[in-house]
Amino acid sequence: MSVRKAVPIAMRLSWLVLFALMIGEFVTDLPGPGWATTFLPAAVVLALMVATTSLQARAAAPQGEPRPPVEVDPPVTGGWTALNSPADKVPSHGTHGYGQTYAIDIVADPETGEGEPPARPAFRWFWPFFRRNRAFPAFGAPLLAVADATVVRASDGQRDHLSRNSLPALAYLMLIEGSVRSILGVHRVIGNHVILDLGDGTYAAYAHARRGSLQVKAGDTVRAGQQLGRVGNSGNTTEPHLHFQLMDGPDPDNARGVPFTWRGVGVPANGETFTVEERTAPDRAGDVGGAR
């Protein structure tokens, strides 16, 4: 087993040991002072968790000179705004883990008429604590194949949770929900997702898709511009959006990030709004495997 694969497994085991120690302190009568029976081992486990996090990031970091950006089509159409962009910093999400080195988040930001409120709800300090997904224009937007490719993973059974775009909800996400998702594994972090094999050792990952929206399954071949599913709010998210990245392998737990550039758009910077014209859907009559 490679280091890149072993490290996240060690991280999840460390979390489980820590929780077991905490629960054991309350439900058992272990001999000796609490610091010796629980808190000292817990401190050791926490130190190991910090170490494994560092190892995970280093194991997933690019080796040598970065690959040239791979040019692909944009995965959406319409008006969007970029967040956590690799145009501003690398790694874009603060870690190389899960192949996120050059990942980008985008939220739908369609133009509204003069005097009308913004289409996308703004972050609130306290109220409302959360919003329903239909309040966000990204929710349900089509996800498109960025190139001719083969589907290697397709999963859309996780629920779309409420938004986390208030201070209390964000604190819950960062302190509790995000930690639990990390323990459960990358599939709970990225939520419903599609991973495409673009060829030449490059894979495209679409995260946080809408539950039940995927129109493809593993083994299908797709054409550039073909609809794969719809944007959702599953996994470790604050609001409906698309998390997109290229990787050098099909498993985010064991992949390194690959730079990308979107044809006609480039790599939009944080806060930059861009528009992609709608494309004609490809003829799927010749697709292998079909869609479900």
PDB file of all heavy atoms in Angstrom, residues 17 50 67 106 118 138 140 185-186 194 209 274 282:
ATOM      1  N   VAL A  17      -9.830   6.122  17.442  1.00  0.00           N
ATOM      2  CA  VAL A  17      -9.191   5.863  18.731  1.00  0.00           C
ATOM      3  C   VAL A  17      -9.475   7.003  19.702  1.00  0.00           C
ATOM      4  O   VAL A  17      -9.782   6.778  20.888  1.00  0.00           O
ATOM      5  CB  VAL A  17      -7.669   5.666  18.551  1.00  0.00           C
ATOM      6  CG1 VAL A  17      -6.970   5.632  19.908  1.00  0.00           C
ATOM      7  CG2 VAL A  17      -7.388   4.385  17.782  1.00  0.00           C
ATOM      8  N   VAL A  50      -2.177  15.277  13.903  1.00  0.00           N
ATOM      9  CA  VAL A  50      -1.513  16.434  13.299  1.00  0.00           C
ATOM     10  C   VAL A  50      -0.409  15.961  12.363  1.00  0.00           C
ATOM     11  O   VAL A  50      -0.243  16.470  11.250  1.00  0.00           O
ATOM     12  CB  VAL A  50      -0.951  17.363  14.389  1.00  0.00           C
ATOM     13  CG1 VAL A  50      -0.090  18.448  13.760  1.00  0.00           C
ATOM     14  CG2 VAL A  50      -2.086  17.988  15.194  1.00  0.00           C
ATOM     15  N   ARG A  67       2.968  19.976 -14.059  1.00  0.00           N
ATOM     16  CA  ARG A  67       2.575  19.671 -15.422  1.00  0.00           C
ATOM     17  C   ARG A  67       1.980  20.903 -16.092  1.00  0.00           C
ATOM     18  O   ARG A  67       1.398  21.762 -15.417  1.00  0.00           O
ATOM     19  CB  ARG A  67       1.522  18.556 -15.422  1.00  0.00           C
ATOM     20  CG  ARG A  67       2.044  17.207 -15.032  1.00  0.00           C
ATOM     21  CD  ARG A  67       0.936  16.170 -14.896  1.00  0.00           C
ATOM     22  NE  ARG A  67       0.089  16.067 -16.081  1.00  0.00           N
ATOM     23  CZ  ARG A  67      -0.885  15.173 -16.242  1.00  0.00           C
ATOM     24  NH1 ARG A  67      -1.112  14.286 -15.270  1.00  0.00           N
ATOM     25  NH2 ARG A  67      -1.605  15.129 -17.325  1.00  0.00           N
ATOM     26  N   ILE A 106     -17.002  27.036  -7.907  1.00  0.00           N
ATOM     27  CA  ILE A 106     -17.739  28.071  -8.637  1.00  0.00           C
ATOM     28  C   ILE A 106     -19.187  28.069  -8.175  1.00  0.00           C
ATOM     29  O   ILE A 106     -19.773  27.025  -7.908  1.00  0.00           O
ATOM     30  CB  ILE A 106     -17.650  27.888 -10.166  1.00  0.00           C
ATOM     31  CG1 ILE A 106     -18.145  26.508 -10.596  1.00  0.00           C
ATOM     32  CG2 ILE A 106     -16.220  28.118 -10.648  1.00  0.00           C
ATOM     33  CD1 ILE A 106     -18.213  26.347 -12.115  1.00  0.00           C
ATOM     34  N   PRO A 118     -29.771  40.612  -5.425  1.00  0.00           N
ATOM     35  CA  PRO A 118     -28.900  39.592  -6.023  1.00  0.00           C
ATOM     36  C   PRO A 118     -29.596  38.237  -6.064  1.00  0.00           C
ATOM     37  O   PRO A 118     -30.360  37.893  -5.164  1.00  0.00           O
ATOM     38  CB  PRO A 118     -27.680  39.573  -5.094  1.00  0.00           C
ATOM     39  CG  PRO A 118     -27.718  40.884  -4.372  1.00  0.00           C
ATOM     40  CD  PRO A 118     -29.165  41.244  -4.252  1.00  0.00           C
ATOM     41  N   ALA A 138     -27.366  28.133  -8.273  1.00  0.00           N
ATOM     42  CA  ALA A 138     -26.522  27.021  -8.728  1.00  0.00           C
ATOM     43  C   ALA A 138     -27.236  25.682  -8.599  1.00  0.00           C
ATOM     44  O   ALA A 138     -26.942  24.749  -9.353  1.00  0.00           O
ATOM     45  CB  ALA A 138     -25.218  26.986  -7.936  1.00  0.00           C
ATOM     46  N   GLY A 140     -29.220  22.656  -9.083  1.00  0.00           N
ATOM     47  CA  GLY A 140     -29.908  22.085 -10.231  1.00  0.00           C
ATOM     48  C   GLY A 140     -29.320  22.467 -11.573  1.00  0.00           C
ATOM     49  O   GLY A 140     -29.784  21.991 -12.610  1.00  0.00           O
ATOM     50  N   GLY A 185     -14.440   9.480   5.508  1.00  0.00           N
ATOM     51  CA  GLY A 185     -13.714   9.284   4.264  1.00  0.00           C
ATOM     52  C   GLY A 185     -14.031  10.300   3.193  1.00  0.00           C
ATOM     53  O   GLY A 185     -14.985  11.076   3.301  1.00  0.00           O
ATOM     54  N   VAL A 186     -13.225  10.272   2.127  1.00  0.00           N
ATOM     55  CA  VAL A 186     -13.312  11.287   1.088  1.00  0.00           C
ATOM     56  C   VAL A 186     -14.677  11.314   0.418  1.00  0.00           C
ATOM     57  O   VAL A 186     -15.149  12.370  -0.008  1.00  0.00           O
ATOM     58  CB  VAL A 186     -12.192  11.079   0.045  1.00  0.00           C
ATOM     59  CG1 VAL A 186     -12.370   9.759  -0.689  1.00  0.00           C
ATOM     60  CG2 VAL A 186     -12.146  12.235  -0.942  1.00  0.00           C
ATOM     61  N   VAL A 194     -18.869  12.694  -9.718  1.00  0.00           N
ATOM     62  CA  VAL A 194     -18.539  11.991 -10.952  1.00  0.00           C
ATOM     63  C   VAL A 194     -17.049  12.162 -11.193  1.00  0.00           C
ATOM     64  O   VAL A 194     -16.510  13.261 -10.998  1.00  0.00           O
ATOM     65  CB  VAL A 194     -19.306  12.557 -12.165  1.00  0.00           C
ATOM     66  CG1 VAL A 194     -18.922  11.804 -13.439  1.00  0.00           C
ATOM     67  CG2 VAL A 194     -20.800  12.479 -11.947  1.00  0.00           C
ATOM     68  N   ALA A 209     -22.580  16.966  -6.279  1.00  0.00           N
ATOM     69  CA  ALA A 209     -23.701  16.888  -7.211  1.00  0.00           C
ATOM     70  C   ALA A 209     -25.022  16.675  -6.464  1.00  0.00           C
ATOM     71  O   ALA A 209     -25.053  16.238  -5.309  1.00  0.00           O
ATOM     72  CB  ALA A 209     -23.477  15.761  -8.207  1.00  0.00           C
ATOM     73  N   PHE A 274     -17.627  35.070 -14.664  1.00  0.00           N
ATOM     74  CA  PHE A 274     -17.428  34.702 -16.064  1.00  0.00           C
ATOM     75  C   PHE A 274     -18.718  34.103 -16.613  1.00  0.00           C
ATOM     76  O   PHE A 274     -19.578  33.634 -15.866  1.00  0.00           O
ATOM     77  CB  PHE A 274     -16.273  33.707 -16.210  1.00  0.00           C
ATOM     78  CG  PHE A 274     -16.484  32.395 -15.489  1.00  0.00           C
ATOM     79  CD1 PHE A 274     -16.979  31.281 -16.163  1.00  0.00           C
ATOM     80  CD2 PHE A 274     -16.180  32.266 -14.137  1.00  0.00           C
ATOM     81  CE1 PHE A 274     -17.185  30.081 -15.505  1.00  0.00           C
ATOM     82  CE2 PHE A 274     -16.372  31.062 -13.469  1.00  0.00           C
ATOM     83  CZ  PHE A 274     -16.878  29.970 -14.154  1.00  0.00           C
ATOM     84  N   PRO A 282     -24.269  17.190 -27.480  1.00  0.00           N
ATOM     85  CA  PRO A 282     -23.772  16.235 -28.470  1.00  0.00           C
ATOM     86  C   PRO A 282     -24.770  15.122 -28.735  1.00  0.00           C
ATOM     87  O   PRO A 282     -25.620  14.813 -27.902  1.00  0.00           O
ATOM     88  CB  PRO A 282     -22.503  15.682 -27.814  1.00  0.00           C
ATOM     89  CG  PRO A 282     -22.761  15.814 -26.354  1.00  0.00           C
ATOM     90  CD  PRO A 282     -23.568  17.083 -26.199  1.00  0.00           C
TER      91      PRO A 282
END
